[in-house]
Amino acid sequence: MMRVIGPVLTAHYLAAFTALGMPVFMPRVLAELAPGAPTWLAGALYVLPTLCTALTATTWGRLADRYGRRLSLLRAQAGLALGFALAGFAPNIGWFVVALVIQGSCGGSLAAANAYLSTQFSKEPGRGSLARALDWTQFSARLAMVTAPALLGVAMAWGGAQELYRYLALMPLVAFAVTLCLPKDDVHGDAPTKATPTAIPSAWRDWRGLLGVQFLFCFAMVVTFPYFVPYTEHLGVAHDSAAGLLYSLPHLVYLVALPWWRGSAAAPERPLLLGLALFSLACVAQASLTTPFWLVPARCLYGAGMLLAIGGLNRALGARAGGGRAGHVFGLFDACGKWAGAVGGVAAGALVSRISLAAPFLAASIAGLVAVAVAAFVFRPQKRQLHVPASDT
C-alpha cells in the first residue's frame, strides 16, 4: 500500500502547504490590497474559502462516488491552483474575493484524498488500517501547518504577501502531476450499498453526534487561528518567523508523536475524550496568559490534545466509512468541519473586535468542553435488551 499512500500523502502535503500557509497572513495581504480595511474583514476573508468548500463538499463527494475518487482529487488540486493564480494577480480586493471563492468552491483535497484512500483500504480486514491512513493524511496536513507559516513568514522579507500566491499556485500543479500517476479507482466495482452510517440500527443518532463533535472541535481550533499573530505580538513576540513557529508548534507535536502513538479502533472514545479535555485546558491557559513565557508549554498541551482528539475521530470515522458512498461520507464529514471553520472565523473577528485578542481561546475552551459532553453521549454504553422467550401457545 505504500506505493499508493506515499504519492497521496505527497500530493496532499503540496496542496495543504498551499491552502494552509497563507490565511494566517491575511492581515498582511489586506494591508497591500486594501489599506485601511476594517479589522473584521481579515476574519471574513480567512473563512471565505472554507465557507465555499462547506457549500460544495457534499456535492463533490456524491460526484466522486459516481465518477471516481481520483478524478475528484485531481479536480480539487486544479481548482486550488487556479484560485491561487488568480489571487496572485488580482488588481483589487474584488478580484481577490473571486479568487478565494474559486479556491474554496473547487477545493476539498483532504476529503478527496481520504475518499480515494478508502477505496484502497476498505477491502482489508477491519477498519484499523483505514483509520491509520486517515491519521497519515492528517500528518501531511500538520506537516504543512508546521512548515508553511514559518517558511512563508521568512519569504515575506523578500517580497510582498500577495506575490507569494503566484508561486504557491505551482505546488498544487505538481500535486496534480503526482496524482495522475496513481491507479484509478474502480467506480463500477464499488457500487453504493446500504452499509452507510445511517443504515445501521441506532447509528443515525450516533452519526449525528459524531458530526456534532467534529463541528465543535473544528470550531474550537479555527476560532484561535485568524488573529494568532496579533495575539503573539500583544504578548511581546515581535518577529513574524517566531509567531509562525508558535502557531505551528501544536502541529509539530502531532508530527513527532503520531509515529509512536497507536489507538484502538475498538475504543475510539478514550483518546477522543482525553484529547478534547486536554485541548480545552490548553485553551484556558492561553486565554489567561499575559507574557509569552508559558506560551510554549500551552501550545504543546494544545498539540497533545489535538493528536488524541483527531485520532479518536479518525477511528470512529474509519468504522463508518468505506463502500460505495465513501465520497459522500467523507464529503459530509469535511463539510461539517468547514462549516465549523467558517463560523469560527467569523466568531474570531467578533470576539477580537468586541472583547480582546485572548477571547477566541476562551470560546475554544467552552466548545471543547461541550464536545466532551457530546462525545460521552455518543459513546455511552448501550443498555442490554432483555430476551423475552417466545410463548409456547
Side-chain angles (χ1 to χ4, degrees):
M1 285 300 176
M2 284 304 299
R3 66 183 182 85
V4 172
I5 197 170
V8 170
L9 293 181
T10 300
H12 183 249
Y13 169 76
L14 293 171
F17 187 102
T18 305
L20 300 177
M22 286 303 297
V24 70
F25 297 107
M26 189 63 71
R28 304 297 171 85
V29 178
L30 278 180
E32 296 178 11
L33 271 176
T39 304
W40 60 264
L41 187 58
L45 293 183
Y46 183 96
V47 302
L48 180 59
T50 302
L51 179 61
C52 293
T53 303
L55 289 168
T56 57
T58 52
T59 300
W60 288 126
R62 291 190 183 96
L63 292 174
D65 290 334
R66 177 174 297 182
Y67 299 108
R69 285 61 177 254
R70 192 192 73 154
L71 182 61
S72 182
L73 186 53
L74 290 169
R75 177 267 315 158
Q77 293 157 351
L80 186 61
L82 176 61
F84 264 69
L86 290 176
F89 291 99
N92 53 53
I93 191 66
W95 277 102
F96 187 74
V97 169
V98 171
L100 293 181
V101 170
I102 292 173
Q103 173 193 332
S105 299
C106 298
S109 59
L110 177 61
N114 285 339
Y116 177 80
L117 286 174
S118 73
T119 66
Q120 308 299 312
F121 286 89
S122 59
K123 295 180 181 179
E124 296 185 2
R127 294 296 184 194
S129 58
L130 176 57
R132 192 61 177 167
L134 301 183
D135 287 342
W136 285 107
T137 55
Q138 286 287 344
F139 182 95
S140 61
R142 304 304 146 188
L143 182 60
M145 294 291 281
V146 167
T147 54
L151 292 176
L152 293 177
V154 173
M156 285 185 188
W158 287 276
Q162 185 188 4
E163 186 180 356
L164 287 177
Y165 277 91
R166 306 173 193 174
Y167 301 108
L168 287 173
L170 299 174
M171 299 188 75
L173 291 179
V174 176
F176 186 94
V178 171
T179 303
L180 279 175
C181 300
L182 291 169
K184 293 182 179 180
D185 50 299
D186 186 4
V187 180
H188 300 292
D190 193 25
T193 67
K194 292 184 179 180
T196 63
T198 61
I200 305 170
S202 303
W204 176 231
R205 179 203 60 213
D206 293 343
W207 176 242
R208 287 187 297 176
L210 189 63
L211 290 177
V213 175
Q214 163 78 343
F215 183 93
L216 290 164
F217 178 57
C218 289
F219 169 87
M221 285 196 297
V222 174
V223 76
T224 68
F225 287 172
Y227 298 94
F228 184 80
V229 171
Y231 164 75
T232 58
E233 292 174 349
H234 174 72
L235 291 180
V237 179
H239 203 277
D240 282 345
S241 60
L245 181 60
L246 287 167
Y247 176 81
S248 305
L249 189 55
H251 311 288
L252 180 61
V253 171
Y254 187 99
L255 297 179
V256 172
L258 179 63
W260 306 96
W261 181 77
R262 295 290 188 275
S264 171
E269 70 278 7
R270 295 175 185 174
L272 180 57
L273 292 171
L274 178 59
L276 291 171
L278 292 178
F279 178 89
S280 299
L281 179 61
C283 289
V284 168
Q286 290 175 88
S288 60
L289 292 178
T290 56
T291 68
F293 181 79
W294 291 104
L295 190 54
V296 170
R299 296 297 285 172
C300 289
L301 184 63
Y302 184 106
M306 187 177 67
L307 168 70
L308 295 173
I310 290 174
L313 281 171
N314 283 344
R315 273 138 193 81
L317 181 60
R320 292 160 171 80
R325 300 191 64 186
H328 177 63
V329 170
F330 283 109
L332 182 60
F333 198 75
D334 187 51
C336 182
K338 293 299 189 293
W339 278 114
V343 174
V346 173
L351 290 168
V352 167
S353 61
R354 293 178 178 272
I355 304 177
S356 70
L357 287 167
F361 290 100
L362 184 59
S365 177
I366 295 171
L369 292 176
V370 175
V372 170
V374 176
F377 174 79
V378 170
F379 294 103
R380 71 193 186 284
Q382 298 294 321
K383 294 181 179 179
R384 292 185 178 181
Q385 293 184 351
L386 295 177
H387 175 68
V388 180
S391 174
D392 293 333
T393 57

